[in-house]
Amino acid sequence: MVHSTEALGVGAQVSAYLEDTYLEQVDTRVIAVGERDGTPWVAVEHCLFHPQGGGQPADRGWLEDTEIIPVRDRESGLVVAMVPEGDSLESGSLSSLAEGQTVRARIDLRVRTAHAALHTAGHLVEAVGRMQGWEMVASNHFPGQARIEFQAPRTDTRLADPEGREEVTAVLRAAVAAAVADDLPVFARCLADGRRVVHLDELHSAPCGGTHVRSLGDLAELALPTLKVKKGRIRVSYSATHVPFTATQVSCAGTHLPYAAPHVPHPACQAPKRVGATE
């Protein structure tokens, strides 16, 4: 999304991480600087960094040669770059940046695509769970912790014993494998109210501010251990990676790699929003 910084007297911030998951670096400009609990932060116009949120970890990134962590600043609504906690030397490097200055932003693309694969796989697990008549109540897309939790509106007798749970898990695995084999496209559209909705072709859609792969064929090593049931919740854990990609598939220096068709950015996704708007 885009967040207006009009109240700060600067231009709008563009969430470049939502426009192109595979954009590795971009030359942009500093639009605001400040401090948070005594630690300096910098905001850039074309924000390449996904902050932690929506069950997805933050990107690993750099401004010039300074390693940063992206954080959503509650006061301004901006995604700001801060140095890792306790790194006073890097803080000095960041505080030397000034508004209007041109800087190069870049991310660790391996980390980004690992997160995107897990997030997309989570949407796919949600989709096949809903095929069973379940309702999602929680999600986590962190490496090593990825899971979707459901509730069944009606009693599902298959979940009452280990054999039944394994049988249902096998059904989920088969549905997941079929969608990946079909290489369904993954794309985002925005509603008239500005909400961003991520689609797994016609299989599934959900409001989401995370990064995603271009199509389900980009997912590899997608595995579902036998589901668990605890306190009425059905927990489906999962793991996934991104298929290997070559340097020619990577976007950099402001050159955008197109999403899988039929992605068409909606005008509402590109219009500036006021400070404090949420994803």
Side-chain angles (χ1 to χ4, degrees):
M1 289 204 177
V2 181
H3 297 267
S4 170
T5 54
E6 182 179 320
L8 300 176
V10 296
Q13 185 178 59
V14 178
S15 295
Y17 61 88
L18 294 182
E19 295 183 354
D20 185 350
T21 291
Y22 300 86
L23 183 61
E24 187 174 22
Q25 65 182 35
V26 66
D27 292 326
T28 184
R29 67 185 181 94
V30 176
I31 57 171
V33 297
E35 287 190 355
R36 178 176 178 178
D37 299 326
T39 302
W41 59 254
V42 172
V44 295
E45 183 176 21
H46 289 85
C47 181
L48 199 58
F49 316 115
H50 185 287
Q52 180 173 318
Q56 180 174 329
D59 282 328
R60 182 185 184 211
W62 294 265
L63 279 179
E64 297 295 336
D65 295 324
T66 302
E67 183 171 357
I68 63 89
I69 295 175
V71 178
R72 174 75 69 189
D73 182 66
R74 293 179 180 274
E75 183 177 347
S76 65
L78 297 167
V79 175
V80 301
M82 304 181 70
V83 300
E85 187 175 353
D87 198 332
S88 58
L89 182 61
E90 294 286 23
S91 289
S93 299
L94 205 61
S95 62
S96 67
L97 299 177
E99 291 181 29
Q101 183 174 342
T102 298
V103 292
R104 173 157 293 186
R106 61 188 176 93
I107 58 167
D108 186 326
L109 192 61
R110 301 293 172 179
V111 171
R112 158 65 65 79
T113 54
H115 294 170
L118 282 171
H119 204 147
T120 304
H123 281 230
L124 180 53
V125 171
E126 179 188 351
V128 299
R130 290 186 181 278
M131 291 177 185
Q132 304 301 309
W134 305 338
E135 299 173 353
M136 189 188 77
V137 292
S139 63
N140 185 332
H141 309 297
F142 274 63
Q145 306 173 33
R147 64 185 181 273
I148 307 295
E149 295 186 8
F150 300 93
Q151 285 182 339
R154 295 175 295 278
T155 301
D156 191 332
T157 57
R158 300 172 299 172
L159 305 177
D161 58 72
E163 292 77 12
R165 290 192 287 273
E166 178 56 36
E167 176 187 337
V168 178
T169 305
V171 172
L172 300 179
R173 290 173 184 144
V176 162
V180 172
D182 287 342
D183 195 15
L184 299 180
V186 180
F187 54 94
R189 289 184 175 137
C190 275
L191 304 180
D193 61 6
R195 284 185 299 158
R196 177 178 184 258
V197 178
V198 171
H199 298 254
L200 310 183
D201 199 23
E202 297 182 356
L203 177 65
H204 178 70
S205 63
C208 182
T211 62
H212 292 275
V213 302
R214 290 162 293 201
S215 66
L216 296 186
D218 286 331
L219 300 179
E221 302 177 290
L222 181 47
L224 278 63
T226 302
L227 64 81
K228 298 180 180 179
V229 180
K230 186 175 182 180
K231 295 182 179 179
R233 287 196 173 190
I234 305 161
R235 176 178 290 187
V236 182
S237 298
Y238 70 93
S239 59
T241 62
H242 196 288
V243 296
F245 51 88
T246 66
T248 58
Q249 293 174 293
V250 177
S251 300
C252 62
T255 302
H256 289 250
L257 194 69
Y259 278 28
H263 172 72
V264 178
H266 190 286
C269 285
Q270 303 173 30
K273 289 200 166 189
R274 297 299 176 212
V275 171
T278 57
E279 292 182 353

